[in-house]
Amino acid sequence: MQWADDAVSLGWHKDDDHEDLGVTHFQIETDEDLVHEPGHLEAEAPLSFLETCLQRLPAKLEGTITD
């Protein structure tokens, strides 16, 4: 699941690019930085995965707000 706007691109990914971070990793990219961290999201069913991401999205976006 990926969110992108003019300021930030962020999301939870289930792929083979960052196996050291677990089954799912969280990725956030701004003009200045690209960060990968463990996603701590082990939901297997697509709907459960989506629901969890949507619940976490507001807090992750709040952390990107700059004045």
Side-chain angles (χ1 to χ4, degrees):
M1 175 161 154
Q2 190 72 19
W3 170 275
D5 61 26
D6 293 339
V8 66
S9 175
L10 59 82
W12 293 266
H13 299 210
K14 290 180 85 169
D15 55 38
D16 297 333
D17 292 351
H18 304 281
E19 292 178 5
D20 58 318
L21 299 176
V23 175
T24 303
H25 70 274
F26 180 76
Q27 177 176 317
I28 183 165
E29 182 175 3
T30 63
D31 288 338
E32 296 85 31
D33 214 4
L34 173 62
V35 177
H36 296 92
E37 58 189 46
H40 304 293
L41 206 160
E42 303 299 328
E44 291 298 323
L47 186 55
S48 296
F49 184 86
L50 177 61
E51 287 173 342
T52 302
C53 292
L54 290 173
Q55 288 171 354
R56 294 179 183 181
L57 183 59
K60 292 293 191 179
L61 286 174
E62 211 172 280
T64 67
I65 296 173
T66 58
D67 292 330

